[in-house]
Amino acid sequence: MRPSLINEVRLDGLHRVLPAAGLGWLVTESATDTVSLLDHDLQLVRRVSLPFTVPRLNASATSRFVAIADSHELVVLDSTGDISWRRPWHRFGADPTDTDVPFHIDTDGILWIRVATTRVLVALDAATGAEIDRVTLTGPDAAWFVHRPADTSTGLGLLHPDPSPSALIRLDSGRIALRPLHGLDLADFSPDGSRYLTMSIDGFLSVRELVTDSVLAQRHVDDLPDLPSRIRFDNWSFEYPALFLTDEIIMVTLAPRDYSSDDEHLLLSARSLRYRARTDYPTRRWPGPLVSAERSGRWLTHDHEEGMLRLWQIGNTTPPPASPRAESTPLDDEPMPGQIAFF
């Protein structure tokens, strides 16, 4: 499958590329004390000057706020770049060993923080810094947040023991409500919000219905139907992240364990995890790792050596036939006329 290039942007000193809920993306640059906010079409919305002169450890943004942190404090800026409030990490219960505290601003302006030292999840008003609620949340130190495009609920992933402690989090009448999610490490939500994707470093993927937690598909990388033999037998592994491109198509990164070639971005059916196509980028070199997009059918890649951000869109979801007599196969496993849908 050859994708369409929607836009590309060059930023010197490209450091981190992060989804910004309801906006597009936030990009930090190692050579400057600024961050760039980009919209869903990869157009520059604005550049915001930061109150730090040392490398940042984490960041989050929406169209209204930018939150940025180093190892000492968290600072929240408004849409004009003025400081709304700032607070040292010890005020949240973090100690000096918590050098990279994960946080996320959702589209309702709620700032979520997970403090590993005290095992708490804190919800703040991003505009004022006022604490709304906090709950104890046991689990491992490593944590991350996953935006759910369908509404203001947010996914919280914690590097799994068994069972996974991942959860869907939201505010209900000013109190934090958590709903456990099953599977392994939470990776992404489908664009319509009805499904979620989990993965593990040892090669397992699963797709589940959010309402019922029922498994739609669950497979190991060695057991993906129709996977090309050059990948199946050459000891490839999943790389993080995996993401939904559409409600029916998943994109995963597979990398050769011996580093003998570039990573591959593969398209899988969200119904069966069946291999559907390889992404054939029209670039002279591999464009870099994946970053999710809120808009269905799109994704971002970033090449740190070139400092290039590229926004891609999925093309025709029906790959060309293998021979003149062969019929094209829809990427989404849609049953052909006369077939019975088993899902």
Side-chain angles (χ1 to χ4, degrees):
M1 186 276 297
R2 197 171 182 85
S4 301
L5 179 62
I6 302 302
N7 198 5
E8 60 182 9
V9 173
R10 181 183 178 88
L11 292 173
D12 292 330
L14 186 65
H15 185 224
R16 298 190 69 181
V17 184
L18 303 164
L23 173 65
W25 297 273
L26 177 150
V27 182
T28 65
E29 303 163 46
S30 59
T32 66
D33 294 327
T34 61
V35 296
S36 296
L37 301 180
L38 306 166
D39 67 13
H40 294 295
D41 294 318
L42 208 60
Q43 299 287 339
L44 180 67
V45 176
R46 62 183 178 275
R47 289 172 63 85
V48 178
S49 298
L50 302 176
F52 295 122
T53 57
V54 297
R56 279 76 61 193
L57 294 178
N58 206 350
S60 183
T62 65
S63 58
R64 297 174 55 202
F65 305 104
V66 175
I68 196 82
D70 63 6
S71 59
H72 303 291
E73 64 176 341
L74 172 67
V75 181
V76 174
L77 314 172
D78 64 19
S79 59
T80 66
D82 293 332
I83 295 176
S84 295
W85 55 273
R86 60 197 308 165
R87 198 164 300 163
W89 281 118
H90 68 78
R91 292 276 302 276
F92 298 105
D95 65 25
T97 63
D98 289 331
T99 58
D100 191 3
V101 179
F103 56 87
H104 170 78
I105 306 177
D106 67 22
T107 52
D108 259 0
I110 306 302
L111 174 60
W112 299 93
I113 302 174
R114 201 278 175 153
V115 183
T117 306
T118 56
R119 299 294 194 269
V120 299
L121 176 68
V122 184
L124 305 175
D125 183 333
T128 64
E131 183 173 319
I132 301 171
D133 193 24
R134 64 170 56 205
V135 295
T136 300
L137 192 65
T138 59
D141 291 350
W144 60 92
F145 294 93
V146 181
H147 173 57
R148 181 170 176 252
D151 59 25
T152 56
S153 57
T154 297
L156 172 65
L158 297 171
L159 194 62
H160 76 278
D162 189 17
S164 168
S166 297
L168 194 67
I169 60 176
R170 61 184 177 87
L171 284 181
D172 184 3
S173 300
R175 309 295 293 180
I176 296 175
L178 298 99
R179 190 207 138 170
L181 297 177
H182 298 284
L184 300 168
D185 295 342
L186 179 64
D188 201 14
F189 293 97
S190 61
D192 68 0
S194 66
R195 303 173 184 174
Y196 63 97
L197 176 67
T198 71
M199 63 185 305
S200 69
I201 198 65
D202 55 354
F204 284 94
L205 280 175
S206 75
V207 182
R208 296 171 184 261
E209 292 282 3
L210 186 64
V211 173
T212 63
D213 280 319
S214 59
V215 177
L216 291 178
Q218 182 169 285
R219 295 185 184 274
H220 190 269
V221 63
D222 295 333
D223 190 37
L224 299 179
D226 297 338
L227 191 68
S229 58
R230 65 180 180 81
I231 294 177
R232 183 181 301 279
F233 299 116
D234 285 350
N235 198 20
W236 290 54
S237 63
F238 283 132
E239 295 286 321
Y240 283 60
L243 52 89
F244 275 96
L245 284 193
T246 70
D247 293 327
E248 302 293 344
I249 303 295
I250 288 168
M251 178 173 277
V252 298
T253 301
L254 263 66
R257 295 183 188 275
D258 60 3
Y259 306 103
S260 58
S261 62
D262 289 334
D263 298 354
E264 297 271 9
H265 292 162
L266 305 182
L267 303 185
L268 308 179
S269 164
R271 302 187 187 194
S272 64
L273 294 179
R274 180 182 299 275
Y275 168 79
R276 308 314 290 155
R278 168 186 176 272
T279 307
D280 181 21
Y281 290 102
T283 53
R284 64 182 179 85
R285 55 184 287 172
W286 186 66
L290 299 171
V291 183
S292 63
E294 286 187 35
R295 291 190 176 177
S296 180
R298 291 187 174 188
W299 71 100
L300 199 67
T301 60
H302 56 101
D303 184 328
H304 284 256
E305 291 185 12
E306 290 186 332
M308 292 298 298
L309 292 165
R310 293 184 174 95
L311 178 61
W312 305 93
Q313 182 167 300
I314 194 171
N316 183 3
T317 58
T318 303
S323 69
R325 294 186 178 182
E327 294 183 357
S328 299
T329 304
L331 289 177
D332 59 2
D333 279 358
E334 194 68 46
M336 300 299 287
Q339 286 183 315
I340 299 175
F342 287 98
F343 285 93

